[in-house]
């Protein structure tokens, strides 16, 4: 009989035809009843999936904190929503409907626009399908048979999806007593039946383009959410309401922190004076920690030669998210097009249509370059493709006519600083730090306030070290990130070790280097004592990384700090140092950014604190408000004393009553409001209120100052809201 292994290491014998459901039943009837899916050798599958001898099998049950369970639940809910929409609006063409964070969506092609007014009818039909508890059945066809089926059905979207899929095609059917009821091309997995969908709600509808192509017909994207129970759904909706209150775009406007101006450009942030205070305080915090850890600050330009980013691999690897390269001439731009087409083909024996099209363009628009390319070596290129001598010809021409690129990353610039002088083993580690601004051409529909922008500043640093220093340096980066998150009251986080996907062609470097780098990040995390998970396929293209995934005060998760180990860029740039043996050796490179993007980090902090920042970080720390004009002069002197001591303080001596003055300061989330009247003036004291409206104490100005100094020095203090 086949034997399978359970997550706890136990071995279980099962029948030769056993499925994941049979494994659950063998373990126990309660588990069999609760099971909704399984994981076989780490892959999420349906309960009806057969198991083989030697497989490792895990049973998935519906839990609100289990990502695998929620994935299957929401994928199934998307299927049910698609069925309901198709039944209510028969002209609907389905495109695709995946689960996403906190829910699911389905893109549809329907000439009639859907609105939230349609949601009750769709939800009612979904409820009927769920109540009917219809089984989900998977139908698998070989590729040719499956393609014939979808082509006969005639949906351009399903045909395209099927043609893009690898291997066999699968379809999911919801069954009734009289037979199949609704079918959809889908990889799955799904729940055993529709009745397992506990609670759901449609959330919104928006526009979307098929595969992001703005020249194609606009689709409608219908979003929903699904949870195991009504209680889970209610808790999620409560979190959403809290998130709306904390939306950093709304609070940023109310507190006058930043603006994104259409005339400047979408995704480009203008920091207003109060927002600049937040950013400066974070930069000063990080700069202090970097000095303590032995980093040296550098400054580098916002653009660089295209050849620099070709050498690093950032271009064309990140080409889709980069702004177009800038060329000094049409010749350079056309030559770049030809180079990219040739490299894309690789060592293929025949020239591609893309290459021929570029050559035709060159002949029409740049005869001199065409003449260079039709020299004897160039003619062989045109006739026979990129044999090594012909690629060398193109490379030589390319170096004569290089372009420039808005930098997508800072690391190539720091590498060139490292190479600017000889390095000895005694010089290492070299730690270079910069608040460096980089640029990404994000799609307009993906931009969101500060959290998704086109120009952002990283608290970037690169460490060049000897292999024997690597573990200590990675540990230092991890400890720095933990310290910074703790200071900012972001203490609920988990660590994710991001590794490459074996066999994938999206990574650079040798297998040997990847093994060394992955061993280093795993060892550093283990030495830190932090619990961690591993994410295969999430590594950077040049190396594995340690990501800090932070949970904010309302339960949302954000990927913030990162530490990356890189053996590959030192090799691509031929970096070296002279060792104690007087021979040349290759350093290892570490990329690290505890904040990640300052823009994104500030956006997350605004929402985490709901704008009620701790005293040391608050853009305005104190407001001094006079009760009447009789105490205005004293209020002014108090403001001057606090400002002289270094506090960020504002004065309100308007004729408004004290109640509205305090209310205005609370709306601005100012930590302390000092009320002064004739009595306080006579006693040289201040009446201290916090932003929640609570009166704390009446005390001398110097006593209040001493308390503020201590709170700021310790970066302590409760973040109470008004």
């Amino acid at each position: 009989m086949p034997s399978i292994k359970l997550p706890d290491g136990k071995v279980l014998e099962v029948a030769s035809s056993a499925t994941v459901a049979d494994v659950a039943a063998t373990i126990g009837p309660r588990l069999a009843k609760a099971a909704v899916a399984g994981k076989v050798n780490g892959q999420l599958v349906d309960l009806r999936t057969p198991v083989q001898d030697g497989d490792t099998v895990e049973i998935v049950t519906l839990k609100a904190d289990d990502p695998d369970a929620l994935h299957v639940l929401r994928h199934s809910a998307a299927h049910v929503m698609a069925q309901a929409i198709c039944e209510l609006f028969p002209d609907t063409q389905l495109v695709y409907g995946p689960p996403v964070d906190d829910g699911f969506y389905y893109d549809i092609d329907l000439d009639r626009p859907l609105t939230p007014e349609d949601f009750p009818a769709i939800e009612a039909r979904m409820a009927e399908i769920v109540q009917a508890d219809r089984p989900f059945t998977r139908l698998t066809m070989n590729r040719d048979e499956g393609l014939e089926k979808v082509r006969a059905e005639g949906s351009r979207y399903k045909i395209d999806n099927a043609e893009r899929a690898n291997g066999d095609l699968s379809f999911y059917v919801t069954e009734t007593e009289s037979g199949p009821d609704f079918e959809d091309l889908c990889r799955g997995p799904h729940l055993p039946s529709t009745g397992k969908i506990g609670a759901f709600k449609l959330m919104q509808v928006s526009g979307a383009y098929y595969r992001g192509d703005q020249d194609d017909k606009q689709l409608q994207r219908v979003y929903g959410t699904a949870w195991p129970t009504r209680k889970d759904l209610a808790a999620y909706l409560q979190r959403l309401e809290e998130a709306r209150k904390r939306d950093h775009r709304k609070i940023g406007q109310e507190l006058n922190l930043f603006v994104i101006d259409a005339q400047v450009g979408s995704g480009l942030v203008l920091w207003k004076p109060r927002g600049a205070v937040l950013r400066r305080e974070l930069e000063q915090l990080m700069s202090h920690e970097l000095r303590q850890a032995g980093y040296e600050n550098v400054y580098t330009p916002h653009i660089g030669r295209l050849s620099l980013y070709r050498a690093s691999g950032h271009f064309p690897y990140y080409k889709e998210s980069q702004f177009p390269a800038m060329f000094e001439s049409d010749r350079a731009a056309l030559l770049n097009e030809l180079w990219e087409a040739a490299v894309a083909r690789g060592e293929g024996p025949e020239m591609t249509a893309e290459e021929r099209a570029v050559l035709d363009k060159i002949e029409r628009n740049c005869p001199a370059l065409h003449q260079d390319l039709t020299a004897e070596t160039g003619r062989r290129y045109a006739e026979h493709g990129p044999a090594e001598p012909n690629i060398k010809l193109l490379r030589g021409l390319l170096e004569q006519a290089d372009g420039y690129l808005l930098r997508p990353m800072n690391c190539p610039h720091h590498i060139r600083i490292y190479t600017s002088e000889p390095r000895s083993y005694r010089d290492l580690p070299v730690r270079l730090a910069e608040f460096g601004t980089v640029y990404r051409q994000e799609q307009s529909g993906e931009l969101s306030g500060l959290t998704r922008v086109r120009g952002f500043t990283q608290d970037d640093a690169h460490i060049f070290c000897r292999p024997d220093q690597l573990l200590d340096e990675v540990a230092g980066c991890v400890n720095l990130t933990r310290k910074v998150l703790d200071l900012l009251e972001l203490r609920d986080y988990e660590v994710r070790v991001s590794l490459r996907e074996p066999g994938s062609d999206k990574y650079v470097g040798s297998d040997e280097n990847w093994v060394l780098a992955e061993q280093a990040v795993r060892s550093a995390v283990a030495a830190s004592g932090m619990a961690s998970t591993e994410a295969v396929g999430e590594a950077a293209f040049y190396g594995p990384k340690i990501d800090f995934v932070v949970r904010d005060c309302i339960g949302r998760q954000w990927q913030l700090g990162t530490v990356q180990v890189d053996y590959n860029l030192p090799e691509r740039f031929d970096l070296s140092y002279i060792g104690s043996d007087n021979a040349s050796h290759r350093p290892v490179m570490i990329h690290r950014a505890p904040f990640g993007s300052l823009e994104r980090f500030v956006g997350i902090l605004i929402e985490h604190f709901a704008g009620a920042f701790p005293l040391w970080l608050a853009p305005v720390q104190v407001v001094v408000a006079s009760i009447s004009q009789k105490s205005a002069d004293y209020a002014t002197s108090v403001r001057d004393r606090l400002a002289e001591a270094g506090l960020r303080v504002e004065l309100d001596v308007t004729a408004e009553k004290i109640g509205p003055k305090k209310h205005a300061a609370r709306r601005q989330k100012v930590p302390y409001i000092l009320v002064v009247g004739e009595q306080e003036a006579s006693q040289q004291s201040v009446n201290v209120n916090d932003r929640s409206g609570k009166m704390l104490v009446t005390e001398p100005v110097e006593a209040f100052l001493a308390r503020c100094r201590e709170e700021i020095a310790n970066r302590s203090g409760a973040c109470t809201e008004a």
Side-chain angles (χ1 to χ4, degrees):
M1 294 179 70
S3 297
I4 59 96
K5 186 184 294 185
L6 301 178
D8 62 3
K10 291 182 180 178
V11 175
L12 192 68
E13 289 191 346
V14 295
S16 58
S17 59
T19 63
V20 173
D22 294 328
V23 173
T26 303
I27 296 171
R30 291 180 62 185
L31 182 61
K33 184 177 180 180
V36 295
K39 293 181 77 172
V40 176
N41 302 325
Q43 182 178 356
L44 195 60
V45 297
D46 291 330
L47 285 178
R48 297 182 185 182
T49 301
V51 297
Q52 307 293 329
D53 186 48
D55 284 345
T56 297
V57 180
E58 180 181 350
I59 306 301
V60 176
T61 60
L62 274 185
K63 296 176 183 175
D65 60 351
D66 183 346
D68 292 324
L70 293 177
H71 179 96
V72 177
L73 167 66
R74 290 164 179 166
H75 203 172
S76 303
H79 180 106
V80 170
M81 182 181 74
Q83 178 176 355
I85 290 173
C86 287
E87 290 177 356
L88 292 170
F89 309 100
D91 292 335
T92 300
Q93 288 193 67
L94 299 177
V95 183
Y96 40 54
V100 292
D101 289 346
D102 291 337
F104 58 89
Y105 71 80
Y106 219 113
D107 283 352
I108 62 170
D109 184 347
L110 177 63
D111 290 336
R112 175 199 185 281
L114 292 180
T115 70
E117 284 69 37
D118 296 308
F119 289 177
I122 298 171
E123 289 175 337
R125 186 70 191 108
M126 290 175 68
E128 292 173 3
I129 298 168
V130 170
Q131 182 66 29
D133 196 20
R134 297 173 181 174
F136 282 107
T137 301
R138 179 186 177 110
L139 171 66
T140 302
M141 294 184 175
N142 67 51
R143 182 172 179 78
D144 291 341
E145 185 182 5
L147 284 172
E148 182 180 353
K149 173 180 169 62
V150 294
R151 286 168 181 160
E153 292 170 356
S155 167
R156 58 163 287 210
Y157 306 110
K158 296 301 180 185
I159 292 170
D160 188 28
N161 289 336
E163 289 176 344
R164 290 170 180 266
N166 295 319
D168 293 344
L169 300 180
S170 61
F171 303 80
Y172 274 84
V173 179
T174 47
E175 301 274 4
T176 66
E177 291 182 358
S178 58
D181 182 50
F182 176 77
E183 179 184 288
D184 194 15
L185 174 70
C186 180
R187 286 189 304 239
H190 281 314
L191 300 169
S193 66
T194 61
K196 295 285 188 180
I197 299 173
F200 59 86
K201 182 175 177 61
L202 301 192
M203 305 300 292
Q204 65 179 32
V205 60
S206 64
Y209 290 101
Y210 184 54
R211 302 199 181 278
D213 184 357
Q214 296 185 18
D215 295 328
D216 207 331
K217 181 178 180 180
Q218 189 172 43
L219 307 171
Q220 298 183 71
R221 177 168 292 179
V222 187
Y223 286 93
T225 189
W227 295 85
T229 68
R230 292 185 181 277
K231 182 178 178 181
D232 295 326
L233 174 60
Y236 169 69
L237 296 176
Q238 174 95 29
R239 291 196 300 274
L240 271 189
E241 182 58 33
E242 184 64 27
R244 289 189 191 98
K245 293 179 186 175
R246 294 169 176 266
D247 189 325
H248 76 277
R249 294 165 295 185
K250 171 176 172 287
I251 293 175
Q253 183 176 1
E254 292 170 350
L255 301 189
N256 219 16
L257 301 177
F258 67 91
V259 64
I260 297 175
D261 185 277
Q263 284 193 288
V264 174
S266 299
L268 301 173
V269 181
L270 300 176
W271 293 92
K272 301 181 83 171
R274 291 188 177 186
V277 170
L278 273 174
R279 176 170 171 153
R280 185 176 66 247
E281 287 293 329
L282 291 171
E283 290 179 355
Q284 289 176 348
L285 165 66
M286 184 58 65
S287 295
H288 172 76
E289 296 299 331
L290 294 179
R291 285 193 298 272
Q292 297 295 313
Y295 286 80
E296 297 176 290
N297 269 60
V298 297
Y299 296 93
T300 58
H302 290 221
I303 66 171
R305 289 182 63 188
L306 207 54
S307 56
L308 176 70
Y309 299 106
R310 281 200 178 96
S312 70
H314 290 103
F315 189 89
Y317 185 85
Y318 281 127
K319 184 180 177 183
E320 297 305 315
S321 61
Q322 292 169 355
F323 284 95
M326 298 169 280
F327 297 97
E328 295 180 356
S329 66
D330 291 341
R331 173 189 174 96
L334 289 167
L335 186 54
N336 178 71
E337 280 190 56
L338 184 58
W339 171 259
E340 287 184 27
V343 170
R345 181 183 12 146
E347 296 301 322
E350 296 186 13
M351 182 174 291
T352 63
E354 182 181 2
E355 285 174 278
R356 293 192 184 282
V358 177
L359 283 170
D360 290 343
K361 189 191 296 187
I362 290 172
E363 185 174 12
R364 292 193 306 271
N365 299 313
C366 195
L369 175 58
H370 188 262
Q371 185 174 356
D372 289 342
L373 289 169
T374 53
E376 182 60 31
T377 306
R379 187 176 300 111
R380 288 201 305 272
Y381 168 81
E383 293 173 356
H384 304 294
E388 182 62 24
N390 308 321
I391 284 289
K392 285 181 178 178
L393 168 71
L394 284 178
R395 185 180 292 116
L397 289 169
L398 193 69
E399 288 172 352
Q400 299 169 26
D402 201 4
Y404 287 84
L405 190 69
L406 276 173
R407 65 178 178 190
M409 297 284 189
N410 301 306
C411 31
H413 295 246
H414 291 188
I415 286 171
R416 297 310 298 170
I417 289 176
Y418 176 88
T419 61
S420 66
E421 56 187 275
R423 306 287 180 176
S424 160
Y425 71 98
R426 294 187 181 91
D427 301 326
L428 272 56
V430 172
R431 306 184 186 99
L432 303 178
E434 176 180 15
F435 291 102
T437 302
V438 296
Y439 301 90
R440 307 285 170 80
Q441 192 176 28
E442 302 285 2
Q443 297 294 323
S444 58
E446 296 176 343
L447 299 174
S448 179
L450 296 178
T451 56
R452 195 71 177 266
V453 294
R454 286 177 169 154
F456 56 93
T457 302
Q458 296 176 307
D459 61 322
D460 214 356
H462 296 92
I463 300 171
F464 304 86
C465 64
R466 304 190 308 264
D468 63 289
Q469 297 170 322
L470 179 61
L471 279 180
D472 286 343
E473 291 300 313
V474 173
C477 295
V478 167
N479 291 336
L480 173 61
T481 303
R482 296 175 74 181
K483 182 177 182 180
V484 169
L485 293 177
D486 185 65
L487 284 170
L488 289 161
E489 301 182 25
L490 295 168
R491 301 184 180 97
D492 184 5
Y493 56 81
E494 58 187 51
V495 172
R496 182 176 63 214
V497 178
S498 297
L499 309 170
R500 71 168 175 167
E501 182 179 354
S504 173
D505 61 358
K506 67 179 184 178
Y507 306 102
V508 299
S510 67
D511 289 342
E512 179 185 5
N513 283 346
W514 274 92
V515 169
L516 291 171
E518 291 183 345
Q519 285 175 348
V521 295
R522 282 175 165 141
S523 297
V525 170
S528 73
M530 296 183 296
S532 65
T533 58
E534 293 191 350
V536 176
E538 295 300 318
F541 75 92
Y542 47 75
K545 53 183 182 165
I546 302 168
D547 292 325
F548 286 77
V549 182
V550 176
R551 190 182 302 275
D552 67 16
C553 59
I554 60 172
R556 296 169 302 179
Q557 288 189 313
W558 306 91
Q559 194 271 300
L560 295 179
T562 186
V563 181
Q564 305 169 1
V565 174
D566 180 7
Y567 281 81
N568 291 310
L569 289 187
E571 198 165 279
R572 291 174 76 96
F573 282 95
D574 194 24
L575 302 188
S576 65
Y577 65 90
I578 301 302
S580 57
D581 57 358
N582 287 323
S584 179
H585 297 270
R586 184 87 67 206
V588 187
M589 192 170 171
I590 300 170
H591 310 244
R592 51 102 290 202
F595 291 150
S597 152
L598 272 170
E599 283 74 8
R600 187 165 185 261
F601 198 87
V602 169
I604 291 166
L605 281 184
I606 291 171
E607 298 192 1
H608 181 65
F609 291 127
F613 299 105
L615 182 66
W616 70 272
L617 193 54
V620 179
Q621 295 168 318
V622 183
V623 164
V624 181
S626 60
I627 291 178
S628 69
Q629 289 301 305
K630 293 179 182 179
S631 55
D633 288 345
Y634 177 63
T636 302
S637 69
V638 171
R639 187 276 311 270
D640 293 345
R641 176 69 188 97
L642 299 181
E644 181 186 331
L647 289 181
R648 296 185 288 273
V649 58
E650 291 186 351
L651 177 67
D652 188 348
V653 291
T654 61
E656 187 67 78
K657 291 183 178 180
I658 193 63
K661 289 182 180 181
K662 291 167 65 176
H663 180 66
R666 288 200 302 270
R667 284 177 54 195
Q668 290 297 301
K669 315 280 188 177
V670 179
Y672 291 117
I673 305 156
L674 304 187
V675 176
V676 297
E678 293 179 80
Q679 182 176 346
E680 285 77 20
S682 66
Q683 297 173 349
Q684 294 293 289
S685 64
V686 288
N687 182 277
V688 184
N689 297 254
D690 68 17
R691 60 185 149 214
S692 72
K694 182 180 178 182
M695 197 284 282
L696 301 178
V697 67
T698 297
E699 62 185 356
V701 175
E702 293 303 321
F704 172 73
L705 256 179
R707 184 144 52 83
C708 287
R709 287 193 185 103
E710 181 180 1
E711 197 172 317
I712 291 169
N714 295 329
R715 293 192 170 90
S716 61
C719 303
T720 55
E721 274 196 79

